[in-house]
Amino acid sequence: MLLSWTKEAVSQRGRLFVFAISVLFAAEPFPHRLENSPSSRKHLIETMTGGAAAADFNGDGFTDIFFVNGAEIPSLQKTGPKFWNRLYRNDAGKGFTDITEAAGLKGEGYAMGAAAADFNNDGLPDLFVAAVNGASRLYKNEKGKFREVAIPPVPGWAVAAGWFDYDRDGHLDLLIVKYLAWNPATEPSCVEPVPVYCHPREFAGLPNQLFRNNGDGTFTDVSQQTGIAKYTGKGMSVAFGDIDNDGYPDAFVTNDTVPNFLLHNRNGKTFEDIAVRAGVAVNDDGRALSGMGVDFRDVDNDGRDDLFYTALINETFPLLKNLGKLLFQDITYASRVGAATLRRSGWGAGIYDFDNDGRKDLFAAGGDVQSNAEQYSSRASRQPNILLWNRAEGKFEPQDIGTPALHRGTAFADFDNDGAIDAVITRLGETPFYWKNTPKNHWIGFRTNKLGTRVSIDGEQYNHATAASGYASSSDPRIHFGLGSKTAVKEVTITWPSGKVQKLANPAIDRYLDIAEP
């Protein structure tokens, strides 16, 4: 169902808002269902699928969307219909067309997540699909046709991945997030007395993998030599930022019920997990949360990248302020995000200025891990999404978005190029939810083929080009700013991954501008 959401001010000192939601089209823009192949056996992978990737795969200027699907359970020889992955072409912002078979992206195995980016610098985004037990695949985009390319083995359960140029050589590298050592033949049963999915503590964790792009279409597994392999976790998602503004991208990996990783990039050679000393491994009570989706951007426009990630009920969705000097402060409750999210479970996460007022807001997809929580608790399995509006003084106001469902992955993009950030949220057993955002206020956006490019406008706002956000998903990498009532931008400062700095004076607003390194 395609919906529109708009903000209408109500006089309560200008701070109380209501939202009107209206059905625009009766037809589903994405008619397929997210199939997770649920069974009475309650295999843990059934509740974890649902990633999506938003990218302009055919180079026509409009963002397309790719969805993963959970096929038959591996190794169980289950018979029945196959549920393929899906690629939808964006028809100039007027609708979407399923082009999966023509593009060659039906796929095999039980898929989890997706990450899109241009790894061979030909101008078209390629696609990595994270999957269970060796079924992960990398696809090269050859003018809209996708061909599988060889990569080092990806054993075990891969949930998510992200593209970044960790060594700043001009070629995007791939960080793959691994979850649990799962084997359907030996998986414990947790169906008595009430059938539920087993807790992650029943399984051992896995180390993540880092593939270095060799620049010739091949990749080398550098997990050992960079130090990535020595950290074993239960990874769910990854996002990239630069915690110390040294020009080398760092990675934050959410872990499920074990401490998170903050992988500090040491001059493009090795990574060190500094999550404990930075204050982001666990919450302020010393508790490791069920880290799910994540985004890594400058929320408060102080020039430093902050963190927002989702977790499960009674854990809150942490908001962590970057104080500089490799240290973060937990402002979850001080910002009112804690009270708004304590009784929720979340998956996809995003930090975007949805109303173009110059302040980035927070979005989280809602839904419990269990599909039958009502049978043994007072909580609801199906939950609405939540939009946390960024108000003055760093406080956030919550707003429920959409009907309750088992939401999972979220991909953010301006699908119709009107300057307002939209979102597509997957739902287990249902069609995806497409949120059409109605434009408000002035805005400016930048399109670049170099992930990691950092942009500031008038020294007042900061953002960077990244596709890694949400849960097991990737989003439109264009750099977006809301301008509120401002009718002009005086100066744009662009810092390229190479370290070069470029200035733009008096750019046109209310449009996307193509930028290239001089």
Side-chain angles (χ1 to χ4, degrees):
M1 181 178 294
L2 177 60
L3 301 180
S4 173
W5 44 281
T6 60
K7 183 180 75 174
E8 298 177 356
V10 179
S11 62
Q12 293 284 328
R13 288 173 289 182
R15 293 190 179 183
L16 179 62
F17 294 86
V18 295
F19 294 82
I21 302 174
S22 59
V23 178
L24 299 183
F25 298 97
E28 298 283 1
F30 310 110
H32 82 287
R33 287 161 47 100
L34 171 56
E35 297 290 353
N36 60 328
S37 301
S39 66
S40 59
R41 180 65 175 74
K42 293 281 186 179
H43 295 287
L44 187 58
I45 63 172
E46 298 168 10
T47 194
M48 300 297 181
T49 187
D56 182 6
F57 289 109
N58 59 2
D60 66 353
F62 287 88
T63 303
D64 312 299
I65 187 85
F66 172 83
F67 298 101
V68 306
N69 238 335
E72 291 88 356
I73 304 296
S75 305
L76 295 187
Q77 299 180 338
K78 177 182 174 181
T79 60
K82 290 183 177 294
F83 306 117
W84 303 116
N85 303 323
R86 286 287 182 268
L87 175 63
Y88 287 90
R89 182 188 66 219
N90 187 337
D91 298 324
K94 299 177 181 178
F96 295 85
T97 299
D98 187 338
I99 59 169
T100 307
E101 295 203 43
L105 281 176
K106 288 169 61 175
E108 296 179 352
Y110 200 99
M112 285 282 151
D118 179 11
F119 76 76
N120 60 345
N121 294 331
D122 66 353
L124 293 173
D126 310 292
L127 185 66
F128 177 79
V129 177
V132 176
N133 291 0
S136 298
R137 299 285 187 270
L138 176 62
Y139 297 94
K140 180 183 177 183
N141 186 346
E142 298 178 336
K143 297 181 179 180
K145 304 286 186 178
F146 289 81
R147 177 176 60 85
E148 185 179 340
V149 297
I151 56 174
V154 186
W157 181 349
V159 171
W163 295 94
F164 71 139
D165 185 4
Y166 84 90
D167 52 4
R168 294 170 56 181
D169 66 352
H171 304 289
L172 291 177
D173 312 296
L174 183 65
L175 180 60
I176 302 170
V177 177
K178 312 285 272 297
Y179 188 39
L180 304 176
W182 179 83
N183 184 334
T186 60
E187 181 180 16
S189 175
C190 300
V191 298
E192 297 292 343
V194 178
V196 296
Y197 294 103
C198 286
H199 193 278
R201 63 173 170 261
E202 304 293 337
F203 305 83
L206 296 172
N208 302 311
Q209 288 183 273
L210 177 60
F211 290 173
R212 182 182 184 275
N213 188 336
N214 299 319
D216 59 359
T218 66
F219 292 81
T220 299
D221 189 336
V222 294
S223 308
Q224 292 289 342
Q225 66 195 64
T226 59
I228 292 293
K230 70 180 181 181
Y231 302 117
T232 296
K234 299 181 179 182
M236 297 290 275
S237 290
V238 63
F240 304 108
D242 187 352
I243 55 177
D244 50 3
N245 291 326
D246 67 350
Y248 287 94
D250 309 297
F252 183 77
V253 176
T254 55
N255 281 317
D256 191 0
T257 69
V258 297
N260 301 312
F261 298 148
L262 179 56
L263 300 169
H264 186 211
N265 189 337
R266 303 175 69 176
N267 300 317
K269 296 180 175 59
T270 61
F271 289 85
E272 178 188 8
D273 178 22
I274 63 168
V276 172
R277 78 167 185 253
V280 298
V282 296
N283 70 0
D284 276 358
D285 296 328
R287 177 185 176 191
L289 306 183
S290 304
M292 311 295 267
V294 62
D295 204 353
F296 200 168
R297 300 177 197 265
D298 184 358
V299 175
D300 53 4
N301 287 320
D302 64 356
R304 294 188 290 263
D305 292 334
D306 309 299
L307 285 163
F308 172 66
Y309 68 97
T310 55
L312 298 186
I313 188 169
N314 295 326
E315 295 181 337
T316 74
F317 301 170
L319 178 59
L320 306 170
K321 176 181 171 58
N322 187 341
L323 300 176
K325 299 182 180 180
L326 306 182
L327 184 65
F328 287 75
Q329 178 186 6
D330 190 330
I331 60 169
T332 309
Y333 279 101
S335 64
R336 300 178 182 167
V337 172
T341 61
L342 182 62
R343 301 298 298 167
R344 297 172 181 266
S345 293
W347 296 76
I351 302 171
Y352 293 89
D353 186 354
F354 291 103
D355 54 0
N356 289 341
D357 66 352
R359 295 187 295 264
K360 297 183 189 71
D361 312 296
L362 310 176
F363 182 95
D368 201 78
V369 173
Q370 306 292 343
S371 58
N372 60 339
E374 294 83 356
Q375 294 183 21
Y376 59 88
S377 73
S378 60
R379 69 179 187 266
S381 296
R382 289 162 175 78
Q383 300 174 19
N385 306 302
I386 185 172
L387 190 51
L388 293 152
W389 295 101
N390 190 341
R391 303 297 180 221
E393 293 85 41
K395 308 299 183 183
F396 290 81
E397 291 184 17
Q399 173 67 44
D400 283 353
I401 298 292
T403 56
L406 296 172
H407 300 96
R408 291 298 185 260
T410 307
F412 302 93
D414 180 2
F415 287 101
D416 51 4
N417 292 340
D418 65 357
I421 301 298
D422 312 304
V424 175
I425 308 102
T426 66
R427 303 180 291 185
L428 293 183
E430 298 184 61
T431 57
F433 216 27
Y434 177 30
W435 287 95
K436 169 68 180 71
N437 188 357
T438 301
K440 295 289 182 182
N441 298 311
H442 294 291
W443 60 279
I444 190 170
F446 301 90
R447 184 187 294 108
T448 174
N449 65 346
K450 292 192 175 182
L451 296 184
T453 301
R454 308 184 74 82
V455 175
S456 66
I457 57 171
D458 292 337
E460 298 173 349
Q461 291 193 58
Y462 302 82
N463 208 340
H464 63 278
T466 180
S469 67
Y471 165 72
S473 300
S474 67
S475 295
D476 181 355
R478 289 180 292 184
I479 306 168
H480 171 271
F481 296 94
L483 300 177
S485 60
K486 289 182 61 173
T487 58
V489 171
K490 294 180 180 179
E491 185 177 71
V492 176
T493 301
I494 305 167
T495 303
W496 297 97
S498 66
K500 293 180 181 178
V501 178
Q502 180 183 5
K503 303 277 188 178
L504 300 178
N506 303 310
I509 68 169
D510 295 329
R511 66 195 65 191
Y512 289 100
L513 304 176
D514 289 309
I515 55 176
E517 185 172 6

